[in-house]
Amino acid sequence: MREKASNGSVELFVSPEGFFQELVQKGLSQRKIQTYPLVENYLVNLLQHYLDARNLFESEYANESGQKNPTTLAEMYLTAQNAEPPARIELLRKLGDRTLYISGFFGDSLSRKIVDIDYYAEIGGAAYASLAHCTREDTMVKVYDTFSRRFLDFVDVLTYISHHSFVKSDESILRLYDRYMRTGSELAREKLVEMGVLALPQDQVKLGKQG
């Protein structure tokens, strides 16, 4: 996804997927963690999902009946365990993914709170373990079991990624890129250029999406 341009800057192409793939592979290598391609792909998809920060938050109410969403990790886990299978799997996956992402990207903040990263790891690991037991797809059982047993290893990978995807600004390259892709913002493009990232012209981006 990224190639060196003749002027030494970095070209960032159409989809963030390749960029995340590169970061995940580098993070795994730097942390000396060997795992399955499916686990690597899961991490890539996780990062793409949370590129939109709104996915970290739930609305107060789950449905039109007025039923409230669980507000704490423990409540979310308990709700998932008591839910019917389809809803249980969805809730457990959200819980595992959210705790993994938050632990990796906001671990420094968690260490200053009463509920620390160990608690997140305990809840997240338990969520993935439950997923491994109630998921019928053999390939996903392997993925969830891996995250359950090695939760903190993958927290380290995401922490590495968080430290290497934010540069010179409170905004990340990826969020700026996402904003540029969605809106064509010239301000976002200028910031990307200032950081040494050269985004494709918007008309070429649209052509890339259609291809």
Side-chain angles (χ1 to χ4, degrees):
M1 176 168 171
R2 297 193 301 169
E3 292 182 359
K4 279 282 186 179
S6 58
N7 62 0
S9 64
V10 176
E11 270 192 348
L12 192 59
F13 289 97
V14 176
S15 170
E17 182 178 358
F19 187 38
F20 283 124
Q21 189 84 41
E22 184 178 336
L23 284 173
V24 168
Q25 289 173 349
K26 191 169 184 180
L28 290 169
S29 175
Q30 289 290 327
R31 301 306 306 165
K32 296 180 172 57
I33 293 172
Q34 294 184 344
T35 190
Y36 312 107
L38 281 173
V39 171
E40 183 179 309
N41 292 337
Y42 194 95
L43 287 173
V44 171
N45 291 331
L46 180 81
L47 291 169
Q48 288 190 91
H49 180 68
Y50 288 120
L51 181 60
D52 185 345
R54 290 172 297 183
N55 289 326
L56 279 173
F57 304 98
E58 297 277 1
S59 59
E60 183 179 0
Y61 295 100
N63 51 51
E64 294 179 359
S65 68
Q67 182 180 359
K68 286 190 175 183
N69 277 315
T71 57
T72 68
L73 298 179
E75 287 175 348
M76 194 172 180
Y77 184 75
L78 183 61
T79 300
Q81 294 295 342
N82 293 324
E84 294 299 317
R88 181 189 308 159
I89 289 173
E90 182 181 359
L91 280 170
L92 287 170
R93 181 183 52 77
K94 281 184 178 181
L95 179 57
D97 290 355
R98 191 172 298 167
T99 52
L100 180 60
Y101 182 85
I102 290 174
S103 297
F105 274 75
F106 305 103
D108 291 342
S109 298
L110 290 178
S111 66
R112 297 190 294 270
K113 295 182 178 180
I114 295 175
V115 177
D116 62 12
I117 196 168
D118 290 335
Y119 179 74
Y120 272 69
E122 182 180 351
I123 290 286
Y128 283 128
S130 294
L131 269 174
H133 282 95
C134 65
T135 300
R136 293 182 178 180
E137 297 177 53
D138 290 341
T139 54
M140 293 310 298
V141 168
K142 201 171 186 179
V143 170
Y144 295 138
D145 181 64
T146 300
F147 282 125
S148 172
R149 291 183 294 102
R150 304 176 64 188
F151 190 90
L152 288 175
D153 284 345
F154 294 106
V155 167
D156 285 346
V157 172
L158 293 184
T159 300
Y160 174 87
I161 291 171
S162 75
H163 290 166
H164 289 80
S165 60
F166 286 75
V167 292
K168 301 180 184 177
S169 172
D170 291 334
E171 293 183 275
S172 72
I173 289 177
L174 297 172
R175 284 180 180 154
L176 281 172
Y177 180 62
D178 180 59
R179 179 182 171 194
Y180 174 69
M181 291 289 292
R182 288 186 291 104
T183 68
S185 165
E186 279 302 310
L187 178 60
R189 187 181 187 284
E190 288 170 9
K191 286 188 176 182
L192 288 169
V193 171
E194 287 174 6
M195 291 177 182
V197 176
L198 180 61
L200 288 173
Q202 190 68 14
D203 57 347
Q204 292 185 37
V205 168
K206 291 178 180 177
L207 287 173
K209 283 184 175 179
Q210 294 169 2

